[in-house]
Amino acid sequence: MEPTMKKGRPDFLLLFTVVLLACFGMAMIFSASSALGSVKHDNPWYYTSKQIKFACIGLVGMFVMMNIPIRVWKKTAPYLLLVSIVLLLVVVAAGSSMNGARRWIVVAGFQFQPVEFTKLALIMYISSLISNKGERIQSFKKGLLPILIVVSFISLLIMKQPDFGSVLMLFFICLTVIIIGGVNLRQLGLLCIGISPVMIYLAVSQSYRFKRIASFMNPYEDQQGSGYQLIQSIYALAHGGMTGTGFGNGIQKLFYLPEAHTDFIFAVIGEEFGFIGACMVVLGFFILVVKGFMTALRSDDPFAIMLGTGIVSMIFIQVMLNLGAVTGLLPITGVPLPFISYGGSSLLLCMASTGIILSISRDNYRRRQQQGYGRKGNQKEQSYDHIFAQT
């Protein structure tokens, strides 16, 4: 009999894809922000150097999370959620403001957004809650209601910032996790119908959000106002053509396109690398999402399945909301492009979350080795149907 392995091998394709996206993101941040850094801070490397620091911290965090057993997160999930709620309360009371929004906490010169930490903590908590409830999740009072109360309270704190984009993200993420967790779909459908008017009201209650929706429908109606950012983004993508202008040779980032190094960095990618380069970036995210979902669904632990699925859904939803806004297919929500957009909080969250997926992949590999599923093994892995039967 072969000796039992203490540690499994991570999914190297997933690991390589994440590192490649992060490295490409730092290169694009330099291209998109060098002019802005020179004018505002007399340093073309200003934004890139800060992102590199966060990337290094994120890389360490990813490897640390990769070596922490998944069961640890199940035990600590309630405490992590409590910490995230306290941080959100601090933001509401004494957070740092920027562009009319109070979303940041500044510590020792570094600023971070607690809402990013809250996303992961909430995924952990809901996954832990559902896995502990078992069949009771089918009951509205014992299943959906506690989750609804927690999510509603957190959403209220986030709307105080205000940050409707993050609330929208949390809604879709939680929806994915509870569906995977085996919630009663009839109850869930009725709940979604009931919540829809509230979400619509939040989307149109503030004038700037309503203008974003109006500009999404017809950006050329107010070319110098609400539609300006989307029009400049479309110009950038059109200018790139099939092969692009070349790295560093984009024009729209030169103070034409607002937020070129943050939410609209994909437009800079499309201009400098063209349609082909943009498709390669999308392919990278496709590999990450597919490998992430496969890793989560191959686990034999219901908590790991829901946690992994929730994390991958979080990244996937962010990508869809960002690309949809940049291309004009969706209203602008202010959601950054994972691993690529400038922003330390988002990068740290994405890399730490990927570390958890890699931890699940190590558990899967170790289990296959113990059960005789080596590289040359001829046994088939257990089916997804069997996994879902356990949840």
Side-chain angles (χ1 to χ4, degrees):
M1 180 180 295
E2 296 183 3
T4 300
M5 298 179 62
K6 294 184 178 181
K7 291 184 178 181
R9 186 179 65 182
D11 190 316
F12 286 110
L13 178 57
L14 180 60
L15 176 61
F16 175 75
T17 302
V18 168
V19 173
L20 186 62
L21 285 172
C23 291
F24 178 71
M26 285 182 282
M28 289 310 304
I29 288 171
F30 174 74
S31 176
S33 69
S34 56
L36 181 65
S38 297
V39 172
K40 293 188 64 174
H41 305 281
D42 197 29
N43 179 8
W45 288 89
Y46 178 80
Y47 296 101
T48 309
S49 60
K50 294 181 70 173
Q51 190 76 352
I52 290 173
K53 292 177 183 177
F54 279 110
C56 292
I57 297 172
L59 190 63
V60 173
M62 184 173 66
F63 281 103
V64 170
M65 300 290 268
M66 188 174 70
N67 286 279
I68 297 178
I70 296 300
R71 62 179 179 274
V72 172
W73 304 119
K74 186 175 184 179
K75 296 178 180 177
T76 60
Y79 307 105
L80 293 175
L81 184 66
L82 181 61
V83 170
S84 70
I85 291 175
V86 171
L87 291 175
L88 289 176
L89 290 172
V90 171
V91 171
V92 173
S96 176
S97 299
M98 185 182 302
N99 297 328
R102 180 176 291 176
R103 303 175 184 175
W104 295 267
I105 294 178
V106 180
V107 179
F110 286 94
Q111 65 178 22
F112 68 97
Q113 289 183 274
V115 70
E116 300 293 344
F117 174 72
T118 303
K119 294 174 186 175
L120 182 58
L122 187 59
I123 292 172
M124 289 181 176
Y125 177 74
I126 294 178
S127 300
S128 175
L129 193 67
I130 294 177
S131 62
N132 289 333
K133 286 183 178 294
E135 293 297 326
R136 290 178 297 169
I137 191 61
Q138 293 285 324
S139 166
F140 178 79
K141 184 177 180 180
K142 297 180 180 179
L144 271 179
L145 185 59
I147 297 174
L148 178 63
I149 293 173
V150 172
V151 174
S152 298
F153 178 67
I154 291 177
S155 298
L156 180 63
L157 293 178
I158 296 175
M159 285 304 299
K160 287 288 185 180
Q161 299 181 6
D163 189 355
F164 179 68
S166 292
V167 171
L168 194 63
M169 273 198 59
L170 286 179
F171 173 77
F172 286 116
I173 293 169
C174 294
L175 189 65
T176 302
V177 174
I178 59 181
I179 289 176
I180 294 295
V183 72
N184 187 303
L185 294 181
R186 181 176 177 273
Q187 295 176 3
L188 182 61
L190 293 174
L191 182 62
C192 289
I193 293 174
I195 291 177
S196 296
V198 178
M199 301 297 288
I200 294 173
Y201 170 76
L202 292 175
V204 301
S205 59
Q206 296 294 325
S207 59
Y208 73 93
R209 294 191 203 121
F210 183 79
K211 286 181 179 179
R212 284 181 174 180
I213 296 175
S215 64
F216 154 70
M217 300 299 292
N218 184 11
Y220 295 96
E221 185 176 347
D222 187 9
Q223 298 185 31
Q224 297 301 318
S226 59
Y228 178 81
Q229 191 170 26
L230 177 55
I231 291 173
Q232 297 304 316
S233 175
I234 294 174
Y235 284 168
L237 295 172
H239 187 217
M242 286 298 295
T243 58
T245 60
F247 178 71
N249 295 326
I251 296 175
Q252 294 302 113
K253 65 186 180 184
L254 301 177
F255 309 106
Y256 293 102
L257 175 65
E259 310 296 338
H261 62 301
T262 56
D263 301 345
F264 278 75
I265 197 167
F266 188 76
V268 180
I269 294 172
E271 183 176 18
E272 298 189 352
F273 291 93
F275 178 77
I276 295 175
C279 286
M280 294 301 294
V281 174
V282 173
L283 177 62
F285 283 116
F286 177 79
I287 294 172
L288 189 157
V289 169
V290 170
K291 292 295 291 182
F293 276 128
M294 290 175 62
T295 297
L297 295 175
R298 282 173 176 164
S299 176
D300 63 348
D301 180 1
F303 172 72
I305 293 173
M306 286 180 283
L307 176 58
T309 304
I311 289 173
V312 179
S313 299
M314 175 183 67
I315 295 174
F316 175 73
I317 292 169
Q318 282 189 231
V319 172
M320 290 296 99
L321 289 177
N322 181 272
L323 297 188
V326 171
T327 57
L329 297 176
L330 293 173
I332 298 173
T333 54
V335 174
L337 186 61
F339 302 103
I340 296 180
S341 289
Y342 174 78
S345 301
S346 175
L347 182 61
L348 291 177
L349 168 75
C350 290
M351 297 197 78
S353 300
T354 304
I356 296 176
I357 300 295
L358 292 171
S359 177
I360 297 174
S361 73
R362 298 184 73 179
D363 287 343
N364 293 344
Y365 182 82
R366 179 173 59 248
R367 187 183 71 254
R368 290 198 300 270
Q369 291 296 95
Q370 292 173 347
Q371 295 176 351
Y373 297 109
R375 291 181 180 178
K376 299 180 180 180
N378 52 15
Q379 300 184 48
K380 294 184 178 179
E381 296 184 42
Q382 64 187 82
S383 67
Y384 292 164
D385 292 338
H386 175 62
I387 294 174
F388 283 117
Q390 297 181 43
T391 64

